[in-house]
Amino acid sequence: DLILTLKNDLVGKRLQELQEELYAFGGEQGMVLEDIVVTGRERTTKEELNQALGLKRGDNMLKINVYDIKEKVEQLPWVKQAFVRRSLLPNVLHIDIEERQVKAIWQINEKFYPLDEDGKIIEADYQITEPILLIVGAGAPENFKNLLDALKDGDKDYIERVKVANFISGRRWNLILDDIRTGITVKLPEDD
């Protein structure tokens, strides 16, 4: 009997049937999605979020996989991290979003890309509304976090004076202070 059961996967099939019965029972008892509450969303649009979720009012709450939802939401360009939970009473899906913050603009080949604090390119439209650090050079994003860490150890007034960080020859930084065209250039060494 054991060999027959494993060969035909009768146990797995029965578990699947029981799961489907539970979902059907939950739907009959009113355990359906009534609302989605999202917090922390500033740059992520409702349209992007709705498209990623693929959910609609009336979907069975028990069938909603919060781990799949988390993964889908974290694929959106502005989302750094998402926390997803459901509450069966009152049938609400809660999504807390931590969005990525633009820390610099990377210029390469006459194009501009927003970067987060980890040096990751944010693949989204971004309009510059306030002065922001400009970094230049091939390999700059990959080394940006190390630069930020080194600058954090310094004087806060000094850090705010840095307008451009130019990654030179894939090994060291030049910092331009105060003004992009006429500012002081500080040539950092390759090590220390």
Side-chain angles (χ1 to χ4, degrees):
D1 286 335
L2 180 60
I3 294 172
L4 180 63
T5 302
L6 293 175
K7 188 174 181 180
N8 294 324
D9 194 23
L10 296 176
V11 173
K13 288 178 184 175
R14 183 61 187 141
L15 286 174
Q16 182 68 32
E17 289 171 5
L18 287 171
Q19 186 178 30
E20 290 300 323
E21 288 174 19
L22 177 64
Y23 291 160
F25 177 76
E28 291 168 7
Q29 299 305 310
M31 293 181 189
V32 295
L33 180 64
E34 292 181 12
D35 204 359
I36 300 173
V37 175
V38 180
T39 58
R41 183 185 65 80
E42 290 181 29
R43 295 188 184 275
T44 304
T45 67
K46 286 182 183 179
E47 292 77 21
E48 288 175 311
L49 199 52
N50 284 333
Q51 187 174 4
L53 295 175
L55 298 172
K56 63 187 181 310
R57 186 170 275 127
D59 284 350
N60 191 314
M61 284 291 284
L62 298 178
K63 284 187 176 182
I64 295 174
N65 185 324
V66 294
Y67 301 106
D68 287 346
I69 298 295
K70 174 182 170 54
E71 283 185 16
K72 289 176 182 177
V73 172
E74 288 179 347
Q75 295 301 312
L76 296 173
W78 286 107
V79 177
K80 181 176 183 176
Q81 195 170 16
F83 304 93
V84 182
R85 62 186 168 79
R86 63 180 154 211
S87 59
L88 296 177
L89 296 172
N91 299 347
V92 175
L93 185 68
H94 298 270
I95 303 173
D96 300 317
I97 294 175
E98 180 186 342
E99 289 189 329
R100 299 161 77 188
Q101 301 300 313
V102 177
K103 292 294 182 183
I105 299 294
W106 176 43
Q107 178 186 358
I108 187 88
N109 300 327
E110 299 180 18
K111 293 184 180 175
F112 297 87
Y113 304 92
L115 297 180
D116 69 8
E117 63 273 5
D118 295 323
K120 301 244 190 301
I121 295 171
I122 301 171
E123 299 286 348
D125 292 334
Y126 177 72
Q127 297 295 320
I128 299 172
T129 57
E130 57 188 33
I132 191 165
L133 176 63
L134 176 67
I135 67 167
V136 181
E142 295 84 358
N143 292 280
F144 180 60
K145 184 165 178 26
N146 291 338
L147 175 66
L148 281 185
D149 290 344
L151 291 176
K152 283 179 189 173
D153 293 337
D155 182 2
K156 187 173 181 351
D157 293 334
Y158 172 76
I159 295 168
E160 291 175 0
R161 292 178 61 193
V162 177
K163 303 301 178 206
V164 179
N166 190 355
F167 195 57
I168 306 295
S169 302
R171 58 186 179 82
R172 65 174 197 81
W173 293 94
N174 279 358
L175 305 180
I176 300 174
L177 307 181
D178 301 325
D179 185 85
I180 291 176
R181 291 189 181 89
T182 61
I184 300 168
T185 300
V186 176
K187 295 182 178 187
L188 299 179
E190 185 173 351
D191 297 314
D192 298 321

